[in-house]
Amino acid sequence: MSETSDHAELSTLRSQLEELTQRVTAVAERYGTTPDSAVAADLFTAERSLLAARRALDKALGAIVR
């Protein structure tokens, strides 16, 4: 694969991760003040993992551009 197509693929994945993060956060916030707040805690953990994945993709994207 060429760097251009790899960059495009990673950019698409980054956008998908961003959308997933927003969706997970929205659900977590709905559970934050309920008796099921443990669900919120688990979802916020997932959110942090998705953010870490997005940062890793950003780093990879930066390396491809150079």
Side-chain angles (χ1 to χ4, degrees):
M1 285 187 142
S2 71
E3 287 184 8
T4 302
S5 63
D6 289 341
H7 189 277
E9 178 77 16
L10 292 175
S11 292
T12 299
L13 289 169
R14 187 196 184 284
S15 296
Q16 291 172 337
L17 277 173
E18 192 168 326
E19 181 185 347
L20 285 172
T21 302
Q22 292 169 358
R23 292 170 64 186
V24 167
T25 302
V27 175
E29 289 173 347
R30 288 196 297 268
Y31 279 92
T33 58
T34 70
D36 292 324
S37 61
V39 172
D42 289 338
L43 290 171
F44 283 123
T45 298
E47 174 197 35
R48 286 190 296 278
S49 295
L50 290 167
L51 290 170
R54 195 177 78 196
R55 284 191 298 272
L57 282 177
D58 286 341
K59 188 175 178 181
L61 282 165
I64 289 174
V65 171
R66 290 184 215 156

